[in-house]
Amino acid sequence: MEEQLVKYFSGNLSRDEARKIEEWRSESDKNASEFLEYHLAWKFSNEQEVNKSAALNAVMNRIEAIEGANEELQGHGFKTYLKYAAIAVLGIGLMFFGKDKILDSGNQIAIEASENLEIITLPDGSVVTLSQNSVLTYSEKFDGETRNVNLQGKAFFDIRRDETKPFIVNTDKSKIEVLGTSFLVNTLAMNSSTEVIVKTGKVAVSKKQSKVENTVQLVAGEVGRLVEDAVGFEKSTIEDYNYLAWKTKLVEFEDQDLQSVLGTLEEVYGVKISVSNEKIHNCKVSAKFDNQPVESVLEILSRTFNLELTKSGTNQFSLSGEGCIVVQ
């Protein structure tokens, strides 16, 4: 279980494997508490900028020293130490350059996801998946009457229910309040300053610094968008069910034009895709891709529409060819 949890925290599990971990966490308070304990240990191991080999040797030497004194150390404390040490060893083994930064300022923790997703376990056991180029700030402990976090960018929240202490997400322009639910908040969405999509439960959204009451209730299957200069959020039903594809790497298209498909792929995989001919955008796509590399997805699309795929640089792709004719 320890190795699976470390792979989960570092984003190295398949979608099905990650779902099993999440189901296990939700089965009981004991599992949720253990999940939080492991995540804190894993996060600690990743905060240390040390030589991997030296750190591994130090941890192993420390474990051996503790085991040598096992007769004097009894109970939960010793087991907890070994658990933390095991996670530290596994965490060091999975570290890589460019790991997302964890910043601590007093009792405030700010986590920045730069090139990779960041899975965060909050003090109450809630889990947040932070998208690339996003920052989440929260208190080390949720004291007081509410659980407050601040978001810049995009994140998916899976919140543990607590009717005595509402959970509040603050962005520059809006406030999102829940008791316990799962939802997406995006401050990077096109044509809106804040976008909220509800997967389960109910969410209350409102615009900050407004002179009038503007709270809007959203339920599962609904989306709220706050556009510039609007009095409050506008509510509608979810149209794009790939809104979590950046997290799950599962994308599905039904008779969609290639222009919107490429836009989704750019967001999900963090790449840039250009076309040499605007008629390429007219091609219609009906397909499902489950956790496939972007190169494989683009290769399938290029063969389907007789296009040439070219890769230039790490995250740059281009498609060329005659494209498709729109039938009126």
Side-chain angles (χ1 to χ4, degrees):
M1 175 60 76
E2 289 91 346
E3 185 174 354
Q4 288 293 97
L5 284 171
V6 171
K7 289 182 178 179
Y8 177 86
F9 298 139
S10 58
N12 290 321
L13 287 182
S14 69
R15 189 170 58 88
D16 288 339
E17 290 172 329
R19 186 172 62 248
K20 289 178 181 178
I21 292 291
E22 291 163 359
E23 290 173 351
W24 169 82
R25 176 179 59 84
S26 302
E27 284 176 356
S28 67
D29 289 341
K30 179 178 179 293
N31 289 357
S33 177
E34 189 172 352
F35 180 92
L36 176 60
E37 199 172 81
Y38 276 119
H39 188 252
L40 290 173
W42 175 84
K43 188 164 67 174
F44 172 79
S45 73
N46 280 273
E47 288 176 347
Q48 313 306 310
E49 292 186 5
V50 295
N51 178 275
K52 296 178 186 177
S53 177
L56 180 58
N57 290 334
V59 171
M60 295 306 297
N61 290 338
R62 183 61 177 152
I63 291 175
E64 290 174 2
I66 293 294
E67 287 177 335
N70 190 10
E71 294 180 0
E72 300 178 9
L73 293 169
Q74 302 292 331
H76 177 73
F78 175 66
K79 293 179 180 179
T80 299
Y81 175 82
L82 288 182
K83 182 188 294 184
Y84 272 52
I87 290 291
V89 171
L90 288 167
I92 290 168
L94 287 173
M95 276 191 213
F96 51 89
F97 293 107
K99 181 63 187 170
D100 306 328
K101 299 176 182 177
I102 299 176
L103 312 172
D104 192 346
S105 176
N107 64 346
Q108 289 288 310
I109 298 173
I111 299 184
E112 176 186 0
S114 51
E115 297 180 0
N116 303 283
L117 302 185
E118 182 75 25
I119 299 173
I120 306 160
T121 303
L122 299 177
D124 65 341
S126 298
V127 178
V128 181
T129 304
L130 194 62
S131 183
Q132 295 173 323
N133 304 313
S134 302
V135 179
L136 184 77
T137 306
Y138 59 95
S139 298
E140 192 174 17
K141 295 181 179 179
F142 283 145
D143 296 325
E145 298 179 351
T146 59
R147 298 169 286 170
N148 283 277
V149 302
N150 293 282
L151 174 68
Q152 299 175 24
K154 180 167 65 175
F156 181 75
F157 295 83
D158 189 358
I159 305 304
R160 294 195 71 187
R161 189 170 187 82
D162 186 347
E163 296 186 5
T164 66
K165 186 176 288 191
F167 187 94
I168 297 175
V169 181
N170 291 287
T171 72
D172 288 344
K173 300 290 181 65
S174 61
K175 183 176 80 170
I176 300 98
E177 183 172 338
V178 305
L179 296 177
T181 182
S182 59
F183 58 98
L184 173 81
V185 179
N186 185 9
T187 66
L188 305 174
M190 294 180 61
N191 304 320
S192 62
S193 60
T194 306
E195 182 179 65
V196 179
I197 303 177
V198 183
K199 183 179 182 183
T200 62
K202 183 186 295 185
V203 173
V205 295
S206 59
K207 180 180 181 180
K208 287 183 175 179
Q209 299 175 342
S210 176
K211 296 180 180 179
V212 298
E213 171 59 35
N214 64 86
T215 301
V216 174
Q217 300 286 339
L218 302 175
V219 297
E222 292 184 333
V223 54
R225 293 185 177 90
L226 178 64
V227 298
E228 204 69 37
D229 299 326
V231 175
F233 277 80
E234 297 177 355
K235 180 167 65 172
S236 61
T237 57
I238 297 175
E239 297 176 355
D240 181 11
Y241 284 90
N242 287 318
Y243 70 94
L244 282 182
W246 59 273
K247 175 178 179 287
T248 63
K249 294 298 186 287
L250 170 65
V251 288
E252 192 167 1
F253 307 104
E254 184 65 38
D255 197 34
Q256 288 185 242
D257 60 72
L258 194 55
Q259 182 174 18
S260 64
V261 170
L262 296 181
T264 298
L265 296 179
E266 286 183 329
E267 181 180 6
V268 170
Y269 292 99
V271 298
K272 292 293 183 182
I273 308 168
S274 61
V275 297
S276 63
N277 181 356
E278 286 299 316
K279 290 183 179 179
I280 293 174
H281 285 157
N282 298 333
C283 299
K284 295 291 185 178
V285 179
S286 293
K288 179 179 180 180
F289 303 101
D290 190 355
N291 207 32
Q292 292 182 239
V294 65
E295 290 88 349
S296 299
V297 175
L298 291 175
E299 184 67 32
I300 291 171
L301 292 175
S302 64
R303 290 183 180 182
T304 300
F305 299 110
N306 195 28
L307 303 173
E308 182 178 347
L309 173 65
T310 304
K311 182 177 181 180
S312 57
T314 306
N315 297 315
Q316 300 280 341
F317 297 88
S318 62
L319 292 169
S320 58
E322 295 184 4
C324 302
I325 299 174
V326 178
V327 178
Q328 300 296 334

